[in-house]
């Protein structure tokens, strides 16, 4: 039905969705909005951005539910298993980072005993989760330093990014071994390989630029 709407009818429906905060319906209308001669095609980017942002806000209750589930997991006997304790804390850290709760994100990562290195990786998923956690921790340090920028925090962030890149490389290498051991063809490997390379390249590029920024900043302080 929404595909038939255009012109003033479409505009009225969009206005209704926005006024009633009916973001699901607005999402259904996006194809019609972007279609040629809809009369609203120039508003496509704006309305899609609004839909993404407001839908995320709508899912805040789901995030709260996830936080409670993870807290329950950590309080249960199953958390005595080191990998469960690690995974639950790292997922909770990711959730806090999504909510811009940088202090809590760092605290959860530290509670996971991640940096003690005494928890074996039982799966590639664990390795990827840890690589991601170091990246989150680095970004959290930067988030915390927007107001009070310190050299120490920047150095800690850089260390986290470097560690994340190292683990991402290990993840890709282990993934390659796993795929080769299962005698999969090369084309099956590409969808898994390229995202890892992109992650590694991003963090390598970010680390170099961050290091350059840090050096230039410290040289100014020294001057």
């Amino acid at each position: 039905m929404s595909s038939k709407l255009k012109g003033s009818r479409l505009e009225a429906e969009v206005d209704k969705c926005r006024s009633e905060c009916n973001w699901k319906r607005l999402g259904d209308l996006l194809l019609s909005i972007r279609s040629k001669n809809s009369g609203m095609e120039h508003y496509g980017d704006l309305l899609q951005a609004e839909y993404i942002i407001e839908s995320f806000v709508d899912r805040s209750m789901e995030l709260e539910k996830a936080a409670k589930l993870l807290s329950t997991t950590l309080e249960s006997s199953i958390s005595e298993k080191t990998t469960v304790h690690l995974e639950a804390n790292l997922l909770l850290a990711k959730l806090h980072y999504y909510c811009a709760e940088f202090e809590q994100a760092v605290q959860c990562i530290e509670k996971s005993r991640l940096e003690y290195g005494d928890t074996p990786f039982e799966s590639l998923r664990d390795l990827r989760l840890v690589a991601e956690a170091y990246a989150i921790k680095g970004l959290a340090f930067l988030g915390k330093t927007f107001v009070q920028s310190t050299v120490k925090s920047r150095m800690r962030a850089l260390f986290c990014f470097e560690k994340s890149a190292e683990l991402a490389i290990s993840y890709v290498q282990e993934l390659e071994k796993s795929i080769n051991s299962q005698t999969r063809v090369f084309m099956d490997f590409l969808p898994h390989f390229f995202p890892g390379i992109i992650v590694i390249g991003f963090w390598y590029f970010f680390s170099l630029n961050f290091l350059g920024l840090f050096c230039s900043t410290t040289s100014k302080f020294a001057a």
Side-chain angles (χ1 to χ4, degrees):
M1 178 181 176
S2 61
S3 61
K4 298 179 181 179
L5 293 176
K6 61 174 56 179
S8 59
R9 289 183 60 198
L10 178 60
E11 186 174 351
E13 185 68 10
V14 168
D15 288 340
K16 181 181 178 183
C17 291
R18 298 177 81 187
S19 63
E20 295 177 354
C21 298
N22 189 348
W23 308 116
K24 184 179 184 302
R25 173 60 176 160
L26 181 62
D28 294 336
L29 292 171
L30 284 173
L31 282 177
S32 297
I33 292 168
R34 288 188 174 279
S35 64
K36 189 176 181 180
N37 299 323
S38 70
M40 297 194 71
E41 57 266 34
H42 299 303
Y43 295 94
D45 289 345
L46 171 67
L47 293 172
Q48 185 170 359
E50 182 178 37
Y51 164 72
I52 292 170
I53 293 169
E54 297 295 350
S55 295
F56 180 81
V57 173
D58 275 351
R59 292 198 298 271
S60 62
M61 292 300 293
E62 294 180 32
L63 293 178
E64 290 179 12
K65 180 180 179 181
K68 290 179 181 178
L69 291 171
L70 290 170
S71 297
T72 301
T73 299
L74 289 169
E75 292 169 1
S76 68
S77 59
I78 195 174
S79 68
E80 293 176 4
K81 187 177 180 182
T82 54
T83 51
V84 173
H85 181 81
L86 175 75
E87 291 177 5
N89 273 298
L90 296 187
L91 287 171
L92 198 54
K94 183 192 290 192
L95 190 151
H96 283 306
Y97 181 77
Y98 283 160
C99 299
E101 297 169 349
F102 304 126
E103 293 277 358
Q104 292 93 322
V106 172
Q107 288 173 10
C108 287
I109 292 173
E110 291 175 349
K111 286 179 182 178
S112 73
R113 296 180 59 86
L114 171 67
E115 293 173 335
Y116 286 87
D118 55 2
T119 303
F121 299 138
E122 294 188 353
S123 65
L124 283 175
R125 162 66 177 165
D126 289 339
L127 180 56
R128 187 176 70 180
L129 198 61
V130 170
E132 186 179 68
Y134 272 108
I136 289 172
K137 189 174 183 179
L139 290 169
F141 279 133
L142 292 182
K144 287 166 58 179
T145 58
F146 282 143
V147 178
Q148 294 181 337
S149 180
T150 64
V151 173
K152 183 179 179 180
S153 293
R154 291 180 182 180
M155 288 299 294
R156 293 179 73 181
L158 180 58
F159 167 79
C160 290
F161 293 142
E162 290 175 343
K163 191 69 177 177
S164 176
E166 290 174 7
L167 289 168
I169 292 172
S170 297
Y171 170 75
V172 173
Q173 290 172 340
E174 292 300 320
L175 183 62
E176 183 178 9
K177 290 178 185 177
S178 175
I179 292 173
N180 288 339
S181 67
Q182 297 174 25
T183 63
R184 292 184 179 177
V185 296
F186 181 69
M187 289 305 295
D188 288 335
F189 173 63
L190 289 178
H192 300 278
F193 182 76
F194 281 127
I197 290 298
I198 291 171
V199 170
I200 295 166
F202 171 78
W203 287 122
Y204 182 71
F205 175 81
F206 187 90
S207 297
L208 287 179
N209 280 273
F210 185 84
L211 183 59
L213 177 62
F214 172 73
C215 291
S216 63
T217 304
T218 51
S219 63
K220 289 180 181 178
F221 284 136

